[in-house]
Amino acid sequence: MHPDLERVIALQRLDTAAHDAQRRLADEPERTKALDARLDAAKDRVASAKTRLTENQNARRAVEKDVAVHQGRLSKFREQAMAVKTNQEYHAVQKEIGFAQTEIKTHEDKILERMLEADELTALVKRSEKELAEEQKAVDADRKAMTAEHGELQASLERIAAERKALVEALDQQVLAIFELISKRRNGVAVAEARDGICTICHVRLRPQVFNTVRRNDAIIQCDSCQRILYFVPAPAIATPAVTHPAQ
Ligand SMILES: [Zn+2]
């Protein structure tokens, strides 16, 4: 293979790797945000469960106050019942007593409901706290992995830059100029494989004589359509099994 062709292929590989590393680095703020959001969501679930439990306790206390009010009325009516003088008064007081008792019963049922709900909410608080702790652990691990990856990406970018410098110095300056120009125009990809007579990136069919030249890999040939520098990968030699033809 033409040494400069080999170099531009290597150069392209480096540029693509650098581009991928840079994109991965550029994604970091977004990934950090996603991790923060995961943690915030878990914290919100704990806060919301705790709020519901507090509301439940407040509601229960309010009902308990109502019960106390009705119990106060009940004792007052019971005292009155001792002092009634007429049958009519007696029935009226009994009716009030019955009413107060019904109210107390209704409110006590409500308290029971609230207590059952409180059990569920307490369990929910515990569960969500456990989930938060797990999420915190997972997010910490992801953050740690991201920090490690950040270091690796930076190191690989430095390595790539050094390798690129050496390649660029060895490369024919005119070929380098072509490479850089096309790279700039073609979204960072200046080199394309030609396969089956087609440029594999722009998919345009090459003229047969162009493709034949490309197949030799001994010159810098550009695609007529996208101008990328073309190279050819020979098919690996496949051991053909001996085919025995049946006698005609
Ligand atoms: Zn092309």
Side-chain angles (χ1 to χ4, degrees), residues 7 24 199 201:
R7 286 183 191 111
R24 193 74 183 147
C199 166
I201 296 189

Side-chain angles (χ1 to χ4, degrees), residues 37-144:
R38 262 171 65 187
L39 213 49
D40 285 347
K43 283 177 186 166
D44 284 351
R45 283 193 292 272
V46 172
S48 138
K50 283 183 173 171
T51 304
R52 284 178 65 193
L53 185 58
T54 305
E55 282 166 358
N56 165 283
Q57 285 159 343
N58 291 341
R60 181 179 153 184
R61 270 193 283 276
V63 182
E64 282 168 346
K65 268 185 201 162
D66 287 345
V67 170
V69 168
H70 288 294
Q71 269 163 346
R73 286 165 58 104
L74 185 60
S75 358
K76 194 187 80 190
F77 291 133
R78 277 185 176 145
E79 274 167 35
Q80 283 178 10
M82 312 274 230
V84 288
K85 296 194 174 60
T86 66
N87 218 18
Q88 201 182 358
E89 272 177 358
Y90 175 78
H91 283 300
V93 171
Q94 283 304 321
K95 202 176 153 192
E96 291 292 353
I97 287 173
F99 177 70
Q101 280 171 333
T102 308
E103 284 296 298
I104 289 167
K105 174 80 178 64
T106 308
H107 283 80
E108 278 173 349
D109 286 348
K110 278 186 194 165
I111 290 172
L112 197 64
E113 271 171 39
R114 291 295 180 186
M115 285 168 77
L116 293 173
E117 196 187 57
D119 287 346
E120 281 169 24
L121 290 173
T122 304
L124 180 65
V125 168
K126 270 191 193 153
R127 200 163 58 236
S128 55
E129 278 174 340
K130 188 168 166 257
E131 281 164 5
L132 171 60
E134 282 162 4
E135 195 71 314
Q136 179 77 61
K137 229 165 122 183
V139 165
D140 285 348
D142 283 358
R143 284 213 177 102
K144 216 174 140 191

Side-chain angles (χ1 to χ4, degrees), residues 192 198-204 206 223-228 230:
I198 285 169
C199 166
T200 55
I201 296 189
C202 76
H203 304 293
V204 165
L206 308 169
C223 170
D224 282 340
S225 171
C226 70
Q227 270 77 51
R228 290 187 177 93
L230 296 167

Side-chain angles (χ1 to χ4, degrees), residues 177-248:
I178 294 170
F179 179 92
E180 300 285 19
L181 179 70
I182 301 161
S183 175
K184 206 182 287 173
R185 284 188 186 162
R186 297 289 179 187
N187 215 15
V189 183
V191 179
E193 184 192 342
R195 196 191 306 148
D196 301 329
I198 285 169
C199 166
T200 55
I201 296 189
C202 76
H203 304 293
V204 165
R205 182 162 290 280
L206 308 169
R207 283 176 286 134
Q209 87 214 51
V210 172
F211 183 57
N212 279 335
T213 315
V214 171
R215 282 173 70 104
R216 291 200 296 270
N217 278 331
D218 61 2
I220 300 296
I221 309 286
Q222 291 174 256
C223 170
D224 282 340
S225 171
C226 70
Q227 270 77 51
R228 290 187 177 93
I229 300 167
L230 296 167
Y231 66 97
F232 179 73
V233 181
I238 301 165
T240 34
V243 181
T244 42
H245 292 281
Q248 297 284 327

